[in-house]
Short mmCIF file of all heavy atoms in Angstrom, two decimals:
data_model
loop_
_atom_site.label_atom_id
_atom_site.label_comp_id
_atom_site.label_asym_id
_atom_site.label_seq_id
_atom_site.Cartn_x
_atom_site.Cartn_y
_atom_site.Cartn_z
N TYR A 667 -0.71 6.00 -3.80
CA TYR A 667 -1.89 5.29 -4.28
C TYR A 667 -1.48 4.44 -5.47
O TYR A 667 -0.43 4.67 -6.08
CB TYR A 667 -3.02 6.25 -4.66
CG TYR A 667 -2.64 7.28 -5.70
CD1 TYR A 667 -2.80 7.02 -7.05
CD2 TYR A 667 -2.12 8.51 -5.31
CE1 TYR A 667 -2.44 7.96 -8.00
CE2 TYR A 667 -1.76 9.46 -6.25
CZ TYR A 667 -1.92 9.18 -7.60
OH TYR A 667 -1.56 10.11 -8.54
N ASN A 668 -2.28 3.44 -5.80
CA ASN A 668 -1.92 2.58 -6.92
C ASN A 668 -2.32 3.24 -8.23
O ASN A 668 -3.42 3.75 -8.38
CB ASN A 668 -2.51 1.17 -6.77
CG ASN A 668 -4.02 1.14 -6.68
OD1 ASN A 668 -4.65 2.04 -6.14
ND2 ASN A 668 -4.61 0.10 -7.21
N GLY A 669 -1.37 3.25 -9.14
CA GLY A 669 -1.61 3.85 -10.44
C GLY A 669 -0.42 3.65 -11.36
O GLY A 669 0.66 3.27 -10.92
N ALA A 670 -0.66 3.92 -12.63
CA ALA A 670 0.38 3.73 -13.64
C ALA A 670 1.58 4.63 -13.36
O ALA A 670 1.45 5.71 -12.80
CB ALA A 670 -0.19 4.02 -15.03
N SER A 671 2.75 4.16 -13.79
CA SER A 671 3.97 4.95 -13.67
C SER A 671 3.83 6.25 -14.44
O SER A 671 3.06 6.34 -15.41
CB SER A 671 5.17 4.16 -14.22
OG SER A 671 5.38 3.00 -13.46
N SER A 672 4.60 7.25 -14.05
CA SER A 672 4.58 8.55 -14.73
C SER A 672 4.84 8.36 -16.22
O SER A 672 5.77 7.65 -16.62
CB SER A 672 5.66 9.47 -14.15
OG SER A 672 5.40 9.72 -12.79
N GLY A 673 3.99 8.97 -17.04
CA GLY A 673 4.15 8.90 -18.48
C GLY A 673 3.58 7.65 -19.13
O GLY A 673 3.66 7.49 -20.34
N VAL A 674 2.98 6.78 -18.34
CA VAL A 674 2.38 5.54 -18.85
C VAL A 674 0.86 5.64 -18.69
O VAL A 674 0.37 6.02 -17.63
CB VAL A 674 2.92 4.30 -18.08
CG1 VAL A 674 2.22 3.03 -18.52
CG2 VAL A 674 4.42 4.18 -18.24
N MET A 675 0.14 5.29 -19.74
CA MET A 675 -1.32 5.33 -19.67
C MET A 675 -1.83 4.33 -18.64
O MET A 675 -1.36 3.18 -18.58
CB MET A 675 -1.94 5.00 -21.03
CG MET A 675 -1.90 6.13 -22.02
SD MET A 675 -2.64 5.70 -23.64
CE MET A 675 -4.25 5.14 -23.18
N SER A 676 -2.80 4.74 -17.85
CA SER A 676 -3.40 3.87 -16.85
C SER A 676 -4.50 3.02 -17.49
O SER A 676 -4.93 3.27 -18.61
CB SER A 676 -4.00 4.70 -15.72
OG SER A 676 -5.16 5.38 -16.19
N CYS A 677 -4.96 2.03 -16.75
CA CYS A 677 -6.07 1.21 -17.22
C CYS A 677 -7.33 2.06 -17.41
O CYS A 677 -8.10 1.82 -18.34
CB CYS A 677 -6.33 0.06 -16.26
SG CYS A 677 -5.03 -1.20 -16.30
N LYS A 678 -7.55 3.03 -16.52
CA LYS A 678 -8.70 3.93 -16.69
C LYS A 678 -8.61 4.65 -18.03
O LYS A 678 -9.59 4.76 -18.75
CB LYS A 678 -8.78 4.94 -15.55
CG LYS A 678 -9.43 4.41 -14.30
CD LYS A 678 -9.64 5.50 -13.27
CE LYS A 678 -10.27 4.93 -12.01
NZ LYS A 678 -10.40 5.93 -10.95
N ASP A 679 -7.40 5.13 -18.37
CA ASP A 679 -7.21 5.82 -19.65
C ASP A 679 -7.40 4.85 -20.83
O ASP A 679 -7.91 5.24 -21.88
CB ASP A 679 -5.81 6.43 -19.74
CG ASP A 679 -5.58 7.55 -18.74
OD1 ASP A 679 -6.58 8.20 -18.33
OD2 ASP A 679 -4.41 7.77 -18.35
N ARG A 680 -6.98 3.61 -20.66
CA ARG A 680 -7.07 2.61 -21.72
C ARG A 680 -8.49 2.04 -21.84
O ARG A 680 -8.84 1.44 -22.85
CB ARG A 680 -6.09 1.47 -21.46
CG ARG A 680 -4.63 1.88 -21.51
CD ARG A 680 -3.72 0.77 -20.99
NE ARG A 680 -2.39 1.25 -20.76
CZ ARG A 680 -1.44 1.31 -21.70
NH1 ARG A 680 -1.68 0.88 -22.91
NH2 ARG A 680 -0.24 1.78 -21.40
N GLY A 681 -9.26 2.17 -20.77
CA GLY A 681 -10.63 1.66 -20.78
C GLY A 681 -10.75 0.18 -20.48
O GLY A 681 -11.81 -0.41 -20.64
N GLU A 682 -9.69 -0.44 -19.99
CA GLU A 682 -9.75 -1.85 -19.61
C GLU A 682 -8.58 -2.20 -18.68
O GLU A 682 -7.53 -1.58 -18.73
CB GLU A 682 -9.72 -2.77 -20.83
CG GLU A 682 -8.40 -2.78 -21.58
CD GLU A 682 -8.40 -3.72 -22.78
OE1 GLU A 682 -9.36 -4.49 -22.96
OE2 GLU A 682 -7.43 -3.67 -23.54
N CYS A 683 -8.82 -3.20 -17.86
CA CYS A 683 -7.79 -3.70 -16.95
C CYS A 683 -7.00 -4.80 -17.65
O CYS A 683 -7.60 -5.81 -18.08
CB CYS A 683 -8.45 -4.23 -15.67
SG CYS A 683 -7.30 -5.07 -14.55
N LEU A 684 -5.71 -4.61 -17.76
CA LEU A 684 -4.85 -5.60 -18.40
C LEU A 684 -4.95 -6.95 -17.70
O LEU A 684 -5.01 -8.00 -18.34
CB LEU A 684 -3.40 -5.11 -18.42
CG LEU A 684 -2.35 -6.08 -18.97
CD1 LEU A 684 -2.62 -6.37 -20.45
CD2 LEU A 684 -0.95 -5.49 -18.78
N ARG A 685 -4.96 -6.94 -16.39
CA ARG A 685 -5.00 -8.18 -15.61
C ARG A 685 -6.30 -8.95 -15.85
O ARG A 685 -6.29 -10.16 -16.02
CB ARG A 685 -4.80 -7.89 -14.13
CG ARG A 685 -3.40 -7.36 -13.82
CD ARG A 685 -3.23 -7.00 -12.35
NE ARG A 685 -3.44 -8.14 -11.48
CZ ARG A 685 -2.54 -9.11 -11.24
NH1 ARG A 685 -1.36 -9.06 -11.82
NH2 ARG A 685 -2.83 -10.08 -10.42
N LYS A 686 -7.42 -8.21 -15.88
CA LYS A 686 -8.71 -8.87 -16.16
C LYS A 686 -8.73 -9.41 -17.59
O LYS A 686 -9.22 -10.50 -17.84
CB LYS A 686 -9.86 -7.89 -15.95
CG LYS A 686 -10.24 -7.69 -14.51
CD LYS A 686 -11.48 -6.84 -14.36
CE LYS A 686 -11.82 -6.69 -12.90
NZ LYS A 686 -13.01 -5.84 -12.69
N LYS A 687 -8.21 -8.62 -18.51
CA LYS A 687 -8.17 -9.02 -19.92
C LYS A 687 -7.40 -10.34 -20.10
O LYS A 687 -7.80 -11.20 -20.88
CB LYS A 687 -7.51 -7.91 -20.74
CG LYS A 687 -7.36 -8.20 -22.22
CD LYS A 687 -6.69 -7.03 -22.91
CE LYS A 687 -6.33 -7.36 -24.33
NZ LYS A 687 -5.63 -6.24 -24.98
N LEU A 688 -6.31 -10.49 -19.33
CA LEU A 688 -5.48 -11.69 -19.44
C LEU A 688 -5.90 -12.81 -18.48
O LEU A 688 -5.30 -13.88 -18.47
CB LEU A 688 -4.01 -11.32 -19.19
CG LEU A 688 -3.40 -10.34 -20.20
CD1 LEU A 688 -1.98 -9.97 -19.79
CD2 LEU A 688 -3.42 -10.92 -21.61
N GLY A 689 -6.91 -12.55 -17.63
CA GLY A 689 -7.40 -13.56 -16.69
C GLY A 689 -6.44 -13.89 -15.57
O GLY A 689 -6.39 -15.03 -15.11
N ILE A 690 -5.69 -12.89 -15.11
CA ILE A 690 -4.71 -13.11 -14.04
C ILE A 690 -5.40 -12.99 -12.68
O ILE A 690 -5.99 -11.97 -12.36
CB ILE A 690 -3.55 -12.09 -14.16
CG1 ILE A 690 -2.84 -12.25 -15.50
CG2 ILE A 690 -2.58 -12.25 -12.99
CD1 ILE A 690 -1.86 -11.16 -15.83
N PRO A 691 -5.34 -14.04 -11.86
CA PRO A 691 -5.99 -14.00 -10.54
C PRO A 691 -5.35 -12.98 -9.60
O PRO A 691 -4.13 -12.76 -9.65
CB PRO A 691 -5.80 -15.42 -9.99
CG PRO A 691 -5.32 -16.26 -11.12
CD PRO A 691 -4.69 -15.33 -12.13
N SER A 692 -6.16 -12.39 -8.75
CA SER A 692 -5.69 -11.45 -7.74
C SER A 692 -4.64 -12.11 -6.86
O SER A 692 -4.73 -13.29 -6.54
CB SER A 692 -6.87 -10.98 -6.88
OG SER A 692 -6.45 -10.02 -5.95
N GLY A 693 -3.62 -11.34 -6.51
CA GLY A 693 -2.57 -11.87 -5.63
C GLY A 693 -1.46 -12.61 -6.35
O GLY A 693 -0.56 -13.13 -5.71
N THR A 694 -1.52 -12.66 -7.69
CA THR A 694 -0.49 -13.35 -8.46
C THR A 694 0.03 -12.46 -9.57
O THR A 694 -0.61 -11.48 -9.94
CB THR A 694 -1.04 -14.65 -9.11
OG1 THR A 694 -2.01 -14.30 -10.11
CG2 THR A 694 -1.69 -15.55 -8.09
N ARG A 695 1.22 -12.79 -10.09
CA ARG A 695 1.79 -12.14 -11.26
C ARG A 695 1.72 -10.61 -11.18
O ARG A 695 1.27 -9.94 -12.11
CB ARG A 695 1.10 -12.63 -12.54
CG ARG A 695 1.07 -14.12 -12.77
CD ARG A 695 2.39 -14.78 -13.13
NE ARG A 695 3.19 -14.09 -14.10
CZ ARG A 695 3.15 -14.30 -15.41
NH1 ARG A 695 2.33 -15.17 -15.93
NH2 ARG A 695 3.97 -13.63 -16.20
N HIS A 696 2.17 -10.06 -10.08
CA HIS A 696 2.11 -8.62 -9.82
C HIS A 696 2.80 -7.80 -10.92
O HIS A 696 2.45 -6.65 -11.14
CB HIS A 696 2.75 -8.28 -8.47
CG HIS A 696 2.11 -8.98 -7.32
ND1 HIS A 696 0.87 -8.65 -6.84
CD2 HIS A 696 2.56 -10.00 -6.55
CE1 HIS A 696 0.57 -9.43 -5.83
NE2 HIS A 696 1.57 -10.26 -5.63
#
Side-chain angles (χ1 to χ4, degrees):
Y667 57 90
N668 59 326
S671 297
S672 298
V674 175
M675 282 180 55
S676 71
C677 289
K678 278 187 181 176
D679 294 334
R680 296 169 193 274
E682 68 179 352
C683 173
L684 175 64
R685 294 177 60 79
K686 281 186 179 179
K687 179 180 171 182
L688 298 175
I690 299 169
S692 183
T694 67
R695 306 288 316 268
H696 302 288

